[in-house]
Amino acid sequence: MTDELATLPASAPLIDVRHLSKSFGESMVLRDISFSVYKGDVLTIIGPSGGGKSTLLRCVTHLETVSGGTILIGGDAMVRDGVYAEKKALRRICLRMGLVFQNFNLFPHFSVLRNITEAQIHVLRRTSAEARATAMGLLEKMGLAQKANAYPCELSGGQQQRVSIARALALDPDILFFDEPTSALDPELTGEILRVIRALAAVHMTMVIVTHEMAFARDVSDRTLFIDGGLIIEDAPSRQLFDAPLQNRTKAFLSRMTNE
Amino acid sequence: MDWLATFLHAPWLPQLLEGTGVTLQLFCWTLVLSIPLSIPIALGRMSKFWPLRQLVNVYLLVIRGTPLMLQLIFVFFAPYYLSVYLVKLGLLSTPLQTPDRFTAAVFAFVINYAAYFSEIFRGGIESIPKGQYEAGQVLGFTRPQVFFRIVLPQVVKRVIPASANEVITLVKDTALAQVLGVLEVFTLAKKSASSNVSVMPLIAAGIIYFILNWVVSWAFIRIEKKLDYYR
């Protein structure tokens, strides 16, 4: 965790999104999105495909440029009223966030170990010994220490996803984002990933997770956002949202998901 | 095995081997210069800045749309004739010297082959999934780092088969340097053939090209195997 966090008042959210909007050309994909995430919280984002969940995640992690609104990360403005911070500040802010992709996006030409050490060495300027130690520690935790010298193509989907989680964690992010981390996996492999995320939640890693795993979302997260049509339809503590949703659209979505 | 002895003792053979040296120099210089040059050209072709993109497009159209032999002649003679024109206009005091034949040939080959290689590289660069760039960006790599550490090494693997074709063609295309009188193997073989009234030198030249390309193919198979450690 960085020093900036220590100076942050306990009441201030780690992620603060206000009135975020995003359009691709003519079509509005996100409208007036506001939510916040506190340190140690786990937030899940659910909703139908094409509803804007992934776009929201990509906006907050700066893979997409917002059309308007404000995003504060640890109190620092990544974008304020649609105006982005200057390049250096933006880079520093983005380094506080890690992202785990649906398709893992490991670097196929690097070994598992090098996938995890490369950014530590060339972005954080750690020595290769330090980077290696961090990587091996994380692989140990993921149960993949014996795969350090393997290449991504030699691993199962679940193992690849664990490596990509380790790769993100190696940079000590304050917040870890997951974009449908189990959607590209065979059903029997989703369990191992969900276990890893649960373990991270147990040590109070701040996480934002876009997922279709309803039971998992209900269990693991403190709060859940239901997004449809580019709007936050419901934002509530997870138990409440899943067990007693207030909005009809949430109810309809949840019953559809559980009937499948 | 009489014919083999005659062949190996043929008076023109040492000359032909010397020409092979020139052919190899032409080949190596072209490769060493055109491949690095092709990467910025490929990036220019993909640039969001349209004047640059158009400029590269025109270059590719001209180079790929005209014979390499014509380009060789142009590179050799153009400096003199264009400068004569500039002298007339008063923009230059004396006309430029005609360049050295070998240098002119290398220059033309580099310009020509960089065009073809750049299109191969562009295809390779565009085939790398967007997720690789995004993963690099999210991990904090700068754009040049993403390109040189993550994208380019993967591109190299993908362009090897198409490049092998191009390199094999280059071995044979060096024969075109004869139009500038560069003393490469084909020029010398033709000369020996007419002075000795024999097709043997030409057959020998054919064998030499064949062996060179055999080595090239073998080298590419080795490179492909070496890069086979990942998908």
Side-chain angles (χ1 to χ4, degrees), chain B residues 15-156:
Chain B
Q15 220 191 1
L16 227 57
L17 293 178
E18 233 170 86
T20 307
V22 176
T23 294
L24 278 175
Q25 282 179 41
L26 198 52
F27 171 79
C28 292
W29 278 113
T30 305
L31 273 193
V32 165
L33 298 173
S34 66
I35 291 177
L37 183 64
S38 68
I39 293 170
I41 294 171
L43 294 176
R45 173 85 168 70
M46 294 185 288
S47 168
K48 283 185 190 127
F49 182 60
W50 76 263
L52 178 60
R53 205 170 57 231
Q54 280 324 106
L55 191 76
V56 174
N57 267 337
V58 169
Y59 156 76
L60 291 175
L61 269 175
V62 171
I63 295 298
R64 298 198 297 171
T66 59
L68 174 52
M69 196 187 278
L70 193 65
Q71 292 164 19
L72 280 155
I73 296 169
F74 185 83
V75 165
F76 185 62
F77 291 107
Y80 175 74
Y81 285 102
L82 290 179
S83 61
V84 165
Y85 194 66
L86 291 178
V87 170
K88 270 187 196 158
L89 287 174
L91 294 169
L92 212 66
S93 53
T94 49
L96 293 171
Q97 294 280 311
T98 309
D100 162 61
R101 287 162 194 277
F102 182 80
T103 314
V106 169
F107 192 83
F109 275 114
V110 168
I111 300 267
N112 183 277
Y113 271 78
Y116 290 97
F117 279 126
S118 79
E119 284 294 273
I120 294 177
F121 270 99
R122 181 174 66 90
I125 292 169
E126 286 176 348
S127 77
I128 301 298
K130 202 169 136 230
Q132 293 289 306
Y133 291 88
E134 292 184 345
Q137 187 195 324
V138 165
L139 290 168
F141 290 109
T142 60
R143 284 182 63 170
Q145 280 179 324
V146 170
F147 184 74
F148 287 106
R149 293 188 175 279
I150 296 161
V151 176
L152 196 56
Q154 297 183 57
V155 169
V156 168

Side-chain angles (χ1 to χ4, degrees), chain A:
Chain A
M1 300 283 159
T2 57
D3 296 335
E4 294 138 69
L5 268 186
T7 60
L8 199 67
S11 59
L14 195 47
I15 308 171
D16 200 355
V17 174
R18 293 180 208 149
H19 311 300
L20 184 153
S21 65
K22 169 72 187 170
S23 49
F24 290 110
E26 292 292 294
S27 71
M28 267 299 233
V29 243
L30 294 172
R31 313 150 192 265
D32 198 26
I33 300 281
S34 297
F35 67 94
S36 41
V37 179
Y38 290 83
K39 188 173 179 303
D41 272 3
V42 178
L43 176 78
T44 47
I45 303 177
I46 61 166
S49 302
K53 314 179 295 288
S54 285
T55 308
L56 174 58
L57 205 66
R58 292 171 59 84
C59 282
V60 179
T61 51
H62 194 42
L63 286 176
E64 300 285 352
T65 312
V66 303
S67 308
T70 297
I71 301 173
L72 303 174
I73 302 296
D76 296 326
M78 179 173 129
V79 51
R80 193 185 291 280
D81 298 326
V83 182
Y84 275 89
E86 51 96 18
K87 215 173 154 187
K88 253 188 170 165
L90 196 57
R91 211 174 128 71
R92 209 188 59 235
I93 291 167
C94 289
L95 266 177
R96 302 174 64 176
M97 303 187 277
L99 172 61
V100 174
F101 295 88
Q102 181 178 346
N103 301 316
F104 334 131
N105 291 336
L106 291 176
F107 305 130
H109 58 308
F110 289 159
S111 67
V112 163
L113 184 68
R114 194 158 168 205
N115 261 280
I116 307 173
T117 56
E118 192 76 358
Q120 294 187 67
I121 295 168
H122 297 286
V123 176
L124 299 187
R125 305 270 163 221
R126 287 182 187 157
T127 65
S128 56
E130 273 178 289
R132 208 188 149 82
T134 312
M136 286 314 293
L138 285 163
L139 284 175
E140 202 80 54
K141 279 183 196 155
M142 299 285 169
L144 289 171
Q146 77 287 0
K147 296 285 185 190
N149 294 316
Y151 282 86
C153 61
E154 302 167 59
L155 305 181
S156 73
Q159 291 172 328
Q160 289 190 49
Q161 192 61 300
R162 278 184 278 161
V163 172
S164 91
I165 294 172
R167 181 175 71 171
L169 286 172
L171 302 181
D172 292 327
D174 294 334
I175 312 152
L176 195 51
F177 294 84
F178 292 83
D179 189 5
E180 301 192 25
T182 59
S183 296
L185 298 177
D186 293 334
E188 73 268 24
L189 298 177
T190 58
E192 55 187 273
I193 298 307
L194 300 184
R195 259 199 307 283
V196 170
I197 300 175
R198 279 201 171 91
L200 288 169
V203 296
H204 304 293
M205 180 80 207
T206 312
M207 292 184 284
V208 176
I209 308 162
V210 169
T211 184
H212 288 295
E213 301 280 337
M214 295 300 142
F216 166 73
R218 180 184 176 279
D219 278 8
V220 82
S221 64
D222 304 290
R223 261 182 43 246
T224 298
L225 298 185
F226 173 64
I227 291 186
D228 189 11
L231 288 165
I232 295 182
I233 307 295
E234 195 159 348
D235 174 358
S238 300
R239 297 281 154 130
Q240 183 190 318
L241 189 134
F242 283 99
D243 297 344
L246 297 174
Q247 301 295 325
N248 286 333
R249 276 160 86 177
T250 318
K251 282 178 203 165
F253 173 76
L254 288 174
S255 74
R256 250 199 336 271
M257 290 303 283
T258 42
N259 284 342
E260 263 167 21

